[in-house]
Every structure is written in C-alpha cells, then in structure tokens.
Amino acid sequence: MINPPAVGIDLGTTYSAVAQLDSSGRPVTLVNAEGDLVTPSVVLFEPNNIVVGKEALKAIATDAKLVAQCAKRELGDRMFNKELGGRKYPPEAIEALILHKLKRDAARQIGEFSKCVITVPAYFDEVRRKATQDAGYMAGLEVMDIINEPTAAAIAHGFLKGFLNEQGESPAPRKLLVYDLGGGTFDVTVMEIRGHEFLALATDGDVQLGGYDWDQRLVNHVAQEFKRQHGLDPREDANTAGRLWRECEDAKRTLSARAKASVTCDYKGHAVRVEIPRELFEELTHDLLDRTRFTTRQTLMAAGLTWKDIDYVLLVGGSTRMPMVSKMLRDATGKEPDGSVAVDEAVAHGAALHAGVLLAKNAGQSPRLKIKNVNSHSLGVVATDNLTGRKRNAVLVPRNTSLPVTARRNFRTQKPGQRSILVQIVEGESANPDECTQIGRCAVRDLPANLPGQTPIEVRFHYAENGRLTVHVAVEGTTKELRHTITRDNMLTQEQLDAWRGFVCGSR
Ligand code: ADP
Ligand code: MG
C-alpha cells in the first residue's frame, strides 16, 4: 500500500466520485457513507446543519431555497447566484463543502489523508482552475495537481487496455476521442497515447451544456401539458419545480433502458400524468445532441484529423448512457463507441492513477506516466494599436498549444516619462479584449522618470501543464521586473481562504 494513499477526486457538476489505488496499483472507486459510488454535488443549508449528497438532493422537492446545485458552473464568479439560509457563499466554498464530505467519507475507509488530485474540465479557464484549487484548500486537502477530466479518462482507459503495463512496452500510438457528457458540462478532447505519454491534441466544450438541459426539456414539456389542462404553471413554485425536475430526471434514466416512461406532476390540487415515449424525448432534445455533434467535429478538425485516424471513441459521463448519444456517435464516426471503463468512474480512476505517479515521483521513483496538455483558450494581453489607438487582444499563447509553454512578446511604452505599465491578461479568441475574459492584471510601478517613449517591454508567459499561469514583465534599460503578481478580480485573499477553511472543516 502506498503511504500516503493515492486519491483521485472527480468533482463533478452534478455527481462526484473518489478513487484510490489498491495494493496492486489498480484504481478502485470508494463508496461514500451512504454506500454509493457517486455522491450528488448538492449542498443543503439547514439552519444549524450543512448536508451534502443524496439527502441534499432530496431536499430540492421540499426546501429548494436552501439547496445549492451546480456550483461548479459558477466557479470564477464572486458569489453563488442565491442566498442560502440568509448568507451568500462564493461558489468555491460550496465546492469545498462537497470536497469535505468526500474526504471525510473516504477517510473512514482508508484513514486520514490530505494529498489528492482533483480533475477539472479541459475547457476550464485559468480562473476556474484556481477556484478549484482554492476549494481543495478550504476543504483541508493538499491538491498535488489538477488534471483535465478527459486526460484522466484516457489514462484510466489506457490502464484498463494494458497500454500502461509494468514492462514499459511502447505499443503503437493510438488516437482517441473522449466524449464526456455529464450533468452540467460537455467536453470533447482528441488525445494520443504514445507508450506512456498522454498528449492532448485538441480540446473544446461547452460549460453550459449537460444532462441537466435534457432534464429541463422534459420539465418544460410536462409543465406545458399541465398548463394546457389546468391553466396553471407548476414551475412557478420552487418546490413543485424541484419535485418535477426530480421526476423528469428519473424518467430520463428510465428512457435509457426502456422505450417509454411517465412523469406525474401535482400542483394546487390538480394532477397530470404524462407518458413519454423515447422518440418524443429524442425529438425534444435533438438540438442539444446536435450541439455536441458539432463541437465534436470541430475538435476533430482542430486536431487536423479525420474519423479514420481515430482508434477509439471513449464514452465518459452519466449522460452518455442515453442511447441517442451512442447512436449519434456511431453514425458520425462509423465506429462503435467504447464504454469499457464505467462512464461515471473513469475520471476518478484516472485521477487516482495520476496521484499514484506523483507520489512515486516524490518518493524518488521515475514516473511511469507522462501527460501533455493543450490550452483550451488563447491567452494574451491588452495592447493599444499604435495606428488606431484602439485596444486589441495581443495573443501570446494561441489555443491548443502543447503545454508547458513559455511565450514572449514585445511591446513598447506609450509616452516619454511613463511611470507605470499595466499588463492586463485576457483569455479568449476575439481580437476585441472586451469580448474576452479578463483573468488578471499586474502593474510595473515606479519606473525611472526619464524613461523614453517607445521603450521596449518584454512580456513573458509561462503556462504550466496544469493550466496555471505565471507572468513575467521586463522593461528594457531598467532593473524593473515583475513576476507572478496577478490580481484577479474575483479572487479570495489568503485570510478569506483561511476563514472559509475553518468554516468548511468545522462543518459536520
Ligand atoms: P458530472 O460529471 O457533470 O457531474 P456525471 O458524469 O456524473 O456528471 O453525469 C451526471 C448526469 O448523467 C446527470 O445529468 C444524470 O441525470 C445523467 N445520467 C446518469 N445516469 C443516466 C442514465 N442511465 N440515463 C441518462 N442519463 C443519466
Ligand atoms: Mg464529469
């Protein structure tokens, strides 16, 4: 047994899972205190008690106002969209409460631990990655690394298929496409496995698309039927809406196994029972599926590949259990999608394998796995165009660049005697900085008063494998240098982090 244990955490938008490596180095999912392999990423804020998981999910039907769902979608925002029990929480604090339960439940089986690897969607930007690390800190975890979910899934797949065998043989390179449709996010990544190396070739996704959107189509369908019959909209009451959603999600799961399901809805003394054949469900949601098809094609093209170059199409995420997904992928790719690693455990398993590698590396052993990622968004700085005087996005690291990467670009000061330089870092594809995400800024101050106009400034970005960024600014002819002092608008201070850590770790 590795000491400390190698723990991987899949912190999902709707469900989370924890895995560790057993004594033979094989990943196993740890069940939670309720005995389940996955834990709903849902938090209930009772007056004197915080409940995470299945019980919190149930409370959506009775105490919807006290329940926080899909906080992962809001990482990067300053505060979660609603007050919970009269208090506002940053989304990362809600994520921390979920992580804290996962940690506590896992510790019951494997003993106290703090080191772990947490996964994030490949599509997550810098701000959301930092927020995820902060959530880990608040939960009392030591986050050794964050890795991309599709990479983790590919690692788990490679392990299962024996690409990562002890002998260290290097089988022929294989290309795979990871199609991950979860509850709240959609991610698609093209990867290459070369021996023990995992290279991401291209990645894309949609942070606002998942099984939840499929549920909502059913909710709307049933609500409209209710309105037609009784002239009332059951969605106007939060608890009724919550109950209806739970019913619809259940029906959706049934429709993955059966040709038809039904949903009942009662509100203000009226009730309807709506039958939903699978064909109707597929009709109500086909545009959502089309969006994933489109993104999948785009990503394949971004990798410069065609379907015949792809050896495996990997299914990841609970929503890939819907038959329409395999059907669509089979039609589009001409291949049978591979669901050999359980769709809701693959990511946690890959994270545990990666954690094992990191622990071995720390113990001085040579690593058996090598991971190479690409960045999912272009990174640049705001520059002023000399001719037009307009602001534009000067890209330093174009999207889908292999990481780690160091990139530099030269700029000039605008006027003689300029005393400070503000470097604004943006993430996004648009030439217009206003259409990009502002991820931070840093300033070089107290420049010498006699600095000539048009003095060269070198901006250097170091983008690490885990998607975290270090910025370095040097002004020619001065000793002024600056590194790593990015201030993010929505970032919590160390004191705030520590206060939340006390709160989260003190909760039961
Ligand atoms: P995430 O990683 O985004 O939290 P998961 O991969 O755990 O999500 O997937 C959760 C989603 O999968 C939910 O929307 C859930 O309704 C859906 N899901 C789970 N099982 C099934 C099933 N049998 N049929 C259809 N959808 C399912
Ligand atoms: Mg997931």
Side-chain angles (χ1 to χ4, degrees), residues 10 12-13 15 72 149 180 182 185 316-317 347:
D10 170 9
T13 313
Y15 288 89
K72 182 172 173 178
E149 288 159 12
D180 180 352
T185 52
V316 179
V347 171

Side-chain angles (χ1 to χ4, degrees), residues 60-61 64 216 219 234-246:
I60 290 169
Q216 289 310 313
V219 168
R235 289 168 297 188
E236 66 197 18
D237 173 63
N239 289 342
T240 310
R243 202 160 53 235
L244 179 56
W245 168 63
R246 297 261 294 145

